[in-house]
Amino acid sequence: MKRTAFFISDGTGITAEALGQSLLAQFEYIDFEKITIPYIDSVEKARSVVERIDKAAAIDDGKPIIFDTIVNSDVRAEIRKSQGYMIDIFGTFLEPLEQELGSKSSYTVGKSHSITGKASYNRRIDAMNFALENDDGARTRYYSNADIILVGVSRSGKTPTCIYLALQYGIKAANYPLTEDDIVDQRLPEVLRKHRQKLFGLTIDPVRLQLIRNERKPNSKYASIKQCNYEVEEVELIYRRERIPFLNSTDYSVEEISTRLLMMTGIERRIS
Amino acid sequence: MKRTAFFISDGTGITAEALGQSLLAQFEYIDFEKITIPYIDSVEKARSVVERIDKAAAIDDGKPIIFDTIVNSDVRAEIRKSQGYMIDIFGTFLEPLEQELGSKSSYTVGKSHSITGKASYNRRIDAMNFALENDDGARTRYYSNADIILVGVSRSGKTPTCIYLALQYGIKAANYPLTEDDIVDQRLPEVLRKHRQKLFGLTIDPVRLQLIRNERKPNSKYASIKQCNYEVEEVELIYRRERIPFLNSTDYSVEEISTRLLMMTGIERRIS
């Protein structure tokens, strides 16, 4: 059984893709070829998409499934002429929403990506620069500007989390690696003690950590299971003793670590 | 007019939030308070959410709007008992999809985030590390491993784009800044010539570039409009002469730059 799924949008297609993927993941025994077609913002462009859909329909074992987030109803109507089965997100929900809200929608193409607003955009890029410049303990003197400071052993997921927090939520996140020196001292470095209320710990399963480190530095002491066990154990002790909230990142994606961190800390997103 | 919008999910809530934001952006004259509630994966948790919704309903000028991407129908049914107006995404589309596909859905909580699969996860993190280590021309000897190499003047958006391509699509993107030296030479540096087919240029409106640079180094030659004009003009000449595909990043978000770059280059995403 082979079917094609189209994610079609007048913008980036990221929302249509995310939603479509969620729904299709529920049908694990069907093999979908997934095609994202962004920036379909005119009837002419829609016509060429219809051709692609109809070609797939002629070959596949069933109608192509279309997930679309196109705002303009003329463009949607054009897509509807295809041989595909349409999951029409705006078409389905916009009218009931208009009734519930007692207000007409503005049908403005591009409006759907509020993230492009200049203020939000600058906040995200500033936060990203902050994450890059304050990565891995490289610089500590701007910690007073940080919304959060991630701590953890090397390769526990700090950097990707900081960058995701910046990009998705405009949050300024620094990170500081806890090393053997800190562990031997049995106390937090001075520079972190001053910002205790901003600290958030990551931890990780030592076996997983070993695998990750071994890809970086094969057969090193750094990547030995003994060293990984030792560092993780000691760092978790520090978290508990210092009452630093922490999360085990082993089974989580960057998105999951970030959203759970927001829940646990109550930090506000900087873009809306 | 004040209304509350809830984005509720059994996972991160990112999809519910993106879709809800898209739809609400169509009602620009209504002031929404937006609340994301992730990880609602039990009837008990759903009950506490219903309390929050009902509290908002009692205060607001109308029913709270609920956008949910909860897979489990029992949990959804609990949310439905609230005073909110429910945009029930799985409830609306899953049954018609089952009919069209002739297959029952697996209703598996968490399935919706296929991005968490270990292989995809590793590919994203590898790509992110690649972007960080091959940022800003810091290292050029691994360009043969790159999927794409972004070029452009300083502060034209190369780094955020590389990182986004890594995180969202698992694409390995390096970037190399074109400086005055390259401009004076009137030719591409040798290290880029060897990988011509991987090059993609960014350009930017000089006035916008000046603003961005001025925040970094106020009143410098680097941030002067004269310098910005000169660099942008010359770099665009290089793009045209060398037939490097390029994009003006001025009015685009990181998501838009990235998706347009995929369209223009035909590069395949590395995760699906």
Side-chain angles (χ1 to χ4, degrees), chain A residues 19 23 65-68 85-89 92, chain B residues 93 96-97:
Chain A
L19 180 67
L23 284 162
I65 311 293
I66 303 165
F67 299 89
D68 89 282
Y85 179 82
M86 199 158 164
I87 299 283
D88 183 353
I89 297 162
T92 305
Chain B
F93 293 132
L97 261 181

Side-chain angles (χ1 to χ4, degrees), chain B residues 124-179:
Chain B
R124 295 171 79 201
I125 299 298
D126 282 354
M128 164 99 86
N129 288 331
F130 186 88
L132 294 174
E133 288 163 1
N134 297 280
D135 182 40
D136 207 29
R139 205 172 67 171
T140 59
R141 67 181 183 280
Y142 293 104
Y143 280 4
S144 48
N145 298 339
D147 294 316
I148 191 164
I149 303 163
L150 264 66
V151 294
V153 303
S154 169
R155 298 285 142 184
S156 53
K158 300 183 298 299
T159 299
T161 305
C162 286
I163 287 175
Y164 188 81
L165 287 169
L167 260 180
Q168 184 74 9
Y169 302 117
I171 290 171
K172 289 188 176 171
N175 77 80
Y176 188 98
L178 294 173
T179 64

Side-chain angles (χ1 to χ4, degrees), chain A residues 57-77:
Chain A
I59 304 169
D60 287 2
D61 301 318
K63 287 183 186 176
I65 311 293
I66 303 165
F67 299 89
D68 89 282
T69 54
I70 295 168
V71 178
N72 184 293
S73 52
D74 294 339
V75 179
R76 284 208 308 273

